Each structure stands twice: as C-alpha cells, then as structure tokens.
Amino acid sequence: MTIRTALIGFGWSSQHIWLPRLQAASDYEVVAAVDPDPDRRARFTVATGRPATLSLEEFDPDLADLAIVALPNYLHAPVGRTLLERGIATFIEKPVCVSTAEADALAAAERCGGAPLLAGSAARHRADIAELRALLPQLGELRTVDLSWMRANGIPGAGGWFTNRELSGGGVLVDLGWHLLDVLEDITGPATFRQVTAMTSYDHVNTPSKSTTWRADPESIGMVADVEDTVRAFMVTDSGIGVGLAASWASAAVTHDSTSIRVTGSAGTATLRCTFGFSPNREQRPGITLVSDRRIREIAVPRELPGTEYDRLLDEIRDRLTDPLALGTAIRGARRIVGTIEAIYAAAGEPTALTAAAAMEEVG
C-alpha cells in the first residue's frame, strides 16, 4: 500500500523534516501541498513535480490518504478539524492544540469524519529513549522522573509568531515542553497530576543574539515577544510519582544544548544525557548512567543523525492508519498534555492560550 500524502503548510519543517523522509520512504508518496505563500508553493512543485494549492477549499480530499499539518501553532487545531471533518486521516505536529477546548473540538471532528487523528512528538521514537525504556524494569517501583531540555541559544523565530502568545499558545513550555511531556508518558504511562508548582521567566526572549542559528526562520516582523523562554515545574501524578520539568530556549547555565531524563525507582536510577532536536550545538558524550546496588554503570547509546526518529514516526503513522483502535487514542494523549501545560501556566501565573478568531483565513 502506498500512502498518498499531502503537506498542509510548506515551511521549514515540511521542507527539512517531512518532505525528504517521505520521498525516501517506499510506502509514502507526496501528492500535494497547501500553502498560502506563492514562493513556497513554487518550491514544492519544483521539488516534487506535484501541484500545490492556495487553500483547503481548493484541495481535493480524494487525492490523499493522509494529510500532515505543519503550520503555525494557532492553525493546528482549526485546520486539523476541517480535514478530519472531511474524512481525511490527519497527522498534526506538536503542539497538537493549544487548549483543552481545542482538543475537545478535534475529538468531535474525528468522530464526525470517521478518519483518525494521528499526532505526537517524534522524541519518543529516538533510539536512546528506547535504551532508557529497556532499563525501567531494573529500577523497581517508579518514584521520580526529571526531564530537562536546556539550550544555550535557541529562541525560534524571534519577533514572529513563535514568540507571540496569541499565535503560538505559549513559549518554551509549548515548544520543548511538549516533547518532554510526551516522553514522560512513554515512561510512566498516561499521566494526570494532583499537584503542580511552577515558575516562568523572560530573561532572553527579546534578545536577538539568543535566536536559533540552524533554522532558516524568516526575519523578525517586529513583534515584541510575550512568551516565556524558561519554565520550571514540579508535579505529582495521581499515582504519586514526582515529576520535575525544566526547559529553556536560552539558558545561562549551559554551554551546549542538552537534554537530560533521569528516572529514579526504588531499586536504582537511570539518567540519559543527549540532545533532542536539530541543534548542531549538541551533547558530545551522550549516554546513560545506571546506578543500582551501589554500582555505577555507563551505557553507550546508539549514535544517530538528528531527525532519524522521524523515520520511525512515519512507520508508526503507517501502522496506525489501518488500526481500528487508533480512533480517539492520539487526541486523548494530546488532551492530557495540553491540560498539563494549562495547569503549569496557571501555577506560574501565566495567561492561558488565545486562539485567533481568523485562524482559517490564513489557509483559506
């Protein structure tokens, strides 16, 4: 079976993450794109020989078996809802939605159209996460999970929609934090929280020198950033597991971009050191440290090119397209994650996400 795939949005992630992998995969065929920008539409056609349309109204749903939504955050849920209501299986990048209300609307659209919503972070498909997961039985009863992703300089799209709360839904918590919370559920299973304490800060979000260097983001359009660049939280799940979360786009505490996941149980602790994402300023000695029975063991993890996890994500999408149990599964997970994000923002005294009223006008 060849999965005819349409890219909804042809910006950085479609051009650099999705299209190359879809073209390399034998079971996918990229058949169309939707993007309001004429230059991006032309670029897509040059790269694929396929048509790109201006709006969803012009897009024929019979052309595709799958749509991948790779748009600014505030368009994820409205566009995803439209596609699902038209009966098109739809994958939405993180954040799947920016509020629990949007999650509920997506769930209703999925039920209406009968096609599955497929969603989630690729991070849980990393090989080093699989190595960490394999060690969990050795750790005994799970007690705490500490998740951290700190960048030295990595504010995305500074001055554009990425750092505008109304358009992005939030800052680093919605961006890096979503990946961490998705991986948390891979470790603990579905997680809801009875206690949340959090703080946020804005030290660097309006400093141009702290922007990303590896993304071809458009030049600043002059918005003053109003989202946090750093978040720290401590939470307790309903089952009694303590969860620490720290994320920063621009931390004065690190010299390279580093992700750490420490899992502590009644019989031991395993700590993964790596770098999520595509930054070239990476952890130079990735690995896992296992402490058990007063012994320390260093465990090597597979070295993979950044983005390899997306190949495995495509395998999962392929399998779930024909899985009758897929309906409702992804949106339940997304609702838990966005509910946790809302709770963290509330604990930190942050405003909740705003959804632009004219969202659909951006893509027709």
Side-chain angles (χ1 to χ4, degrees):
M1 171 184 173
T2 298
I3 302 167
R4 299 170 303 159
T5 305
L7 293 169
I8 312 302
F10 197 61
W12 186 88
S13 64
S14 282
Q15 293 176 39
H16 296 274
I17 298 175
W18 293 111
L19 182 60
R21 287 171 174 80
L22 288 165
Q23 289 180 318
S26 61
D27 42 5
Y28 286 87
E29 180 184 8
V30 180
V31 297
V34 178
D35 198 293
D37 183 272
D39 290 337
R40 290 198 293 263
R41 291 199 303 274
R43 196 174 300 144
F44 173 81
T45 299
V46 168
T48 66
R50 298 287 188 156
T53 58
L54 171 69
S55 67
L56 286 180
E57 279 75 11
E58 299 176 14
F59 173 65
D60 181 358
D62 292 333
L63 286 176
D65 307 304
L66 170 70
I68 294 177
V69 176
L71 292 164
N73 295 357
Y74 71 104
L75 293 169
H76 284 188
V79 170
R81 188 172 67 243
T82 297
L83 292 164
L84 289 167
E85 287 173 347
R86 294 171 70 179
I88 304 170
T90 302
F91 178 89
I92 304 179
E93 288 189 327
K94 68 84 199 167
V96 179
C97 50
V98 296
S99 69
T100 50
E102 286 192 343
D104 293 339
L106 282 168
E110 186 184 43
R111 291 192 297 270
C112 174
L117 171 69
L118 308 167
S121 158
R124 68 167 63 197
H125 295 285
R126 291 174 57 93
D128 46 20
I129 291 294
E131 293 288 328
L132 179 65
R133 188 167 53 240
L135 294 172
L136 295 180
Q138 300 181 40
L139 304 182
E141 292 293 323
L142 189 57
R143 300 299 184 220
T144 61
V145 181
D146 293 287
L147 309 113
S148 172
W149 187 351
M150 313 298 280
R151 288 178 177 167
N153 292 312
I155 299 170
W161 69 263
F162 230 120
T163 55
N164 179 277
R165 185 174 296 275
E166 186 175 357
L167 304 181
S168 64
V172 69
L173 176 59
V174 172
D175 182 24
L176 308 189
W178 190 290
H179 291 286
L180 295 175
L181 290 169
D182 193 51
V183 168
L184 173 69
E185 291 214 343
D186 196 43
I187 294 169
T188 66
T192 54
F193 297 90
R194 68 189 189 203
Q195 178 183 335
V196 178
T197 303
M199 64 166 288
T200 55
S201 56
Y202 295 69
D203 294 329
H204 306 294
V205 72
N206 282 299
T207 304
S209 63
K210 298 294 184 180
S211 297
T212 56
T213 57
W214 66 90
R215 285 177 55 113
D217 289 316
E219 293 184 6
S220 167
I221 59 177
M223 296 182 191
V224 175
D226 65 352
V227 297
E228 81 289 347
D229 57 50
T230 301
V231 61
R232 294 177 178 83
F234 180 76
M235 304 170 285
V236 180
T237 69
D238 289 338
S239 60
I241 299 169
V243 176
L245 184 146
S248 180
W249 277 334
S251 172
V254 297
T255 58
H256 60 275
D257 301 349
S258 178
T259 308
S260 172
I261 300 174
R262 184 173 68 239
V263 183
T264 299
S266 60
T269 297
T271 304
L272 168 65
R273 305 175 309 280
C274 61
T275 302
F276 283 6
F278 292 87
S279 166
N281 185 21
R282 307 183 70 79
E283 172 68 54
Q284 295 302 301
R285 299 180 62 188
I288 297 173
T289 301
L290 176 65
V291 181
S292 180
D293 293 327
R294 295 181 294 175
R295 296 179 181 178
I296 299 176
R297 180 157 60 101
E298 297 294 338
I299 301 171
V301 296
R303 296 256 185 166
E304 296 184 315
L305 292 174
T308 302
E309 61 269 26
Y310 283 87
D311 297 323
R312 299 189 188 98
L313 176 57
L314 284 175
D315 290 342
E316 181 187 80
I317 292 172
R318 177 201 61 212
D319 295 342
R320 293 183 66 187
L321 276 174
T322 57
D323 182 359
L325 300 179
L327 283 170
T329 300
I331 194 56
R332 285 192 293 270
R335 195 184 194 283
R336 286 191 302 271
I337 290 176
V338 78
T340 299
I341 287 172
E342 288 178 332
I344 291 171
Y345 278 142
E350 292 279 4
T352 57
L354 301 175
T355 302
M360 286 303 295
E361 295 179 5
E362 294 285 331
V363 293

